[in-house]
Amino acid sequence: MFQRFRRTRLNKHLCALVRETQVSVNDFIYPLFIRSGKGVKTEVASMPGVFQMSIDEIIKECEELKQLGIFSILLFGIPDVKDSIGSDSLCEHGIIASSIREIKKVHPDMFIVTDLCFCEYTDHGHCGIIDEVNETVNNDATLEISAQQALIHANAGADMIAPSGMMDGIIQTLRTTLDKNGFENLPIMAYSTKFSSAYYGPFRDVAESSPSFGDRTTYQMDPANRREAISESLSDEAQGADILMVKPALAYLDIVREIKDATLLPMAVYNVSGEYAMLKFAGMNDLIDYERVVMETMISFKRAGADIIISYHAKEVAQMLQKQGV
Ligand code: PBG
Ligand code: ZN
């Protein structure tokens, strides 16, 4: 029967009727990088089409996003001053808290997701407080300041919190803290299965967050481990996560499918900076049909089981879908 579908492939209506996977503008969350200043819009060399922007530019950007049908954004802050504990992220007047307030004033209809981590805010570039003795992140001390950061985001008006540091017990800590402070309805999207990956390279340029010593292998996952990857996500589900995530996306679609089959929660994939850069530079050099490859990639995420796609391609995809009249 499927052969008959193939033979009648030229009939686009039949094709549409039997197509199993759809990509829609509703699937996307668009990451944005905010820094202080006015009129700042600096393109990132390793990610053409991606910018660091000041709040006024972000507000213009949101208008553009809404016109494309994209209402969900993931905010990353780049503070003026970094220190050992990431103080800017713990302060009501820090870059993220003030950005949320400003955006919400103009665009109350934007759905703002905040990346909760410390690597963009610490001078050493690690995702938490450093234990001087072991020269690695102190998990439990980081949990405490993560709870503080979550309340900063929540009080500023964030619509969803996305902890990305992979600290043990982070979801339970945040859920308890949010519930105790009147934010029972604020959802948590866990970076539940986050691999220690070289695909984050360009992001660390844009967020200026490369670790100054060591690496993130003590808290991020070994790409070789499949069962551990599944158990990390299921553990976050048990702790109260509302949405699970696999990151990066492309090299880990087997993991997306396995977690999807093991949970009833919605699943997100993070189509990360290195994945974006690979397609972008290949396209700019006419090595691939950029638009088709981007669409094929997005379809592969949905087919693997993703409900939500966090991607720097989101605007381009929305434009392509508009062109196709989808
Ligand atoms: C912060 C964070 C990272 C990314 C999202 N949140 C970087 C990292 O862990 O080094 C990567 C996103 C990307 O590469 O696009 N913990
Ligand atoms: Zn981090």
Side-chain angles (χ1 to χ4, degrees):
M1 150 169 141
F2 281 102
Q3 276 168 10
R4 177 152 41 244
F5 288 158
R6 270 210 296 279
R7 285 197 295 272
T8 52
R9 174 152 53 194
L10 288 178
N11 185 318
K12 69 173 190 192
H13 299 299
L14 181 58
C15 269
L17 284 170
V18 300
R19 185 165 299 134
E20 298 171 36
T21 310
Q22 317 281 346
V23 172
S24 144
V25 68
N26 299 324
D27 301 329
F28 287 89
I29 300 179
Y30 188 58
L32 289 173
F33 299 93
I34 308 187
R35 66 178 323 146
S36 67
K38 237 185 164 353
V40 180
K41 189 168 180 183
T42 317
E43 193 164 29
V44 183
S46 51
M47 297 176 75
V50 173
F51 300 83
Q52 294 180 338
M53 286 181 254
S54 50
I55 299 181
D56 53 328
E57 293 293 328
I58 293 276
I59 284 173
K60 282 191 238 164
E61 182 76 11
C62 287
E63 191 54 53
E64 215 178 288
L65 288 170
K66 290 202 288 195
Q67 273 171 19
L68 287 167
I70 299 169
F71 285 81
S72 302
I73 53 177
L74 175 60
L75 290 190
F76 294 93
I78 307 155
D80 286 334
V81 180
K82 304 191 185 209
D83 60 19
S84 63
I85 62 160
S87 304
D88 187 273
S89 69
L90 301 172
C91 161
E92 251 186 79
H93 309 292
I95 184 77
I96 278 292
S98 34
S99 304
I100 300 169
R101 290 199 177 88
E102 295 291 318
I103 297 169
K104 281 286 179 187
K105 253 190 246 161
V106 185
H107 301 290
D109 52 348
M110 271 329 255
F111 187 79
I112 302 183
V113 187
T114 52
D115 184 89
L116 189 153
C117 203
F118 288 94
C119 49
E120 299 114 81
Y121 303 94
T122 51
D123 49 12
H124 46 71
H126 276 285
C127 299
I129 292 185
I130 296 295
D131 194 326
E132 300 296 337
V133 183
N134 303 317
E135 292 210 331
T136 180
V137 169
N138 180 325
N139 192 87
D140 293 358
T142 303
L143 289 184
E144 274 173 41
I145 56 171
S146 297
Q148 285 175 40
Q149 195 184 131
L151 289 179
I152 293 280
H153 293 184
N155 281 316
D159 296 298
M160 182 154 77
I161 311 266
S164 68
M166 282 284 278
M167 297 302 139
D168 283 343
I170 181 86
I171 302 302
Q172 185 166 35
T173 301
L174 297 188
R175 190 68 272 159
T176 312
T177 306
L178 291 170
D179 289 355
K180 252 199 248 152
N181 288 276
F183 296 107
E184 298 91 343
N185 293 328
L186 191 58
I188 299 175
M189 175 167 72
Y191 283 69
S192 51
T193 294
K194 177 173 174 183
F195 291 94
S196 177
S197 169
Y199 281 103
Y200 308 147
F203 173 93
R204 292 180 188 171
D205 289 347
V206 54
E208 300 170 8
S209 65
S210 287
S212 57
F213 62 90
D215 57 31
R216 302 209 207 289
T217 48
T218 58
Y219 40 100
Q220 297 182 352
M221 287 205 38
D222 180 349
N225 291 358
R226 178 182 137 256
R227 291 193 303 178
E228 189 189 359
I230 299 163
S231 90
E232 284 283 353
S233 269
L234 296 184
S235 155
D236 281 0
E237 173 169 14
Q239 291 176 46
D242 299 284
I243 298 176
L244 302 178
M245 191 198 300
V246 172
K247 174 184 168 198
L250 258 187
Y252 299 94
L253 292 183
D254 56 330
I255 305 293
V256 177
R257 170 48 62 195
E258 290 211 46
I259 296 175
K260 177 75 169 192
D261 288 344
T263 181
L264 295 175
L265 289 183
M267 288 276 307
V269 288
Y270 199 137
N271 175 212
V272 301
S273 54
E275 300 174 299
Y276 174 84
M278 289 195 304
L279 299 195
K280 210 40 186 198
F281 284 105
M284 283 162 63
N285 287 293
D286 280 331
L287 301 173
I288 52 170
D289 180 336
Y290 179 73
E291 294 204 352
R292 284 189 55 199
V293 172
V294 168
M295 266 308 179
E296 192 174 325
T297 305
M298 300 301 137
I299 289 269
S300 75
F301 298 151
K302 295 292 298 282
R303 197 188 59 235
D307 302 290
I308 299 168
I309 302 171
I310 305 167
S311 178
Y312 306 99
H313 294 292
K315 284 171 72 179
E316 300 165 343
V317 172
Q319 275 154 357
M320 290 177 219
L321 292 172
Q322 275 183 359
K323 251 193 322 199
Q324 291 167 15
V326 185

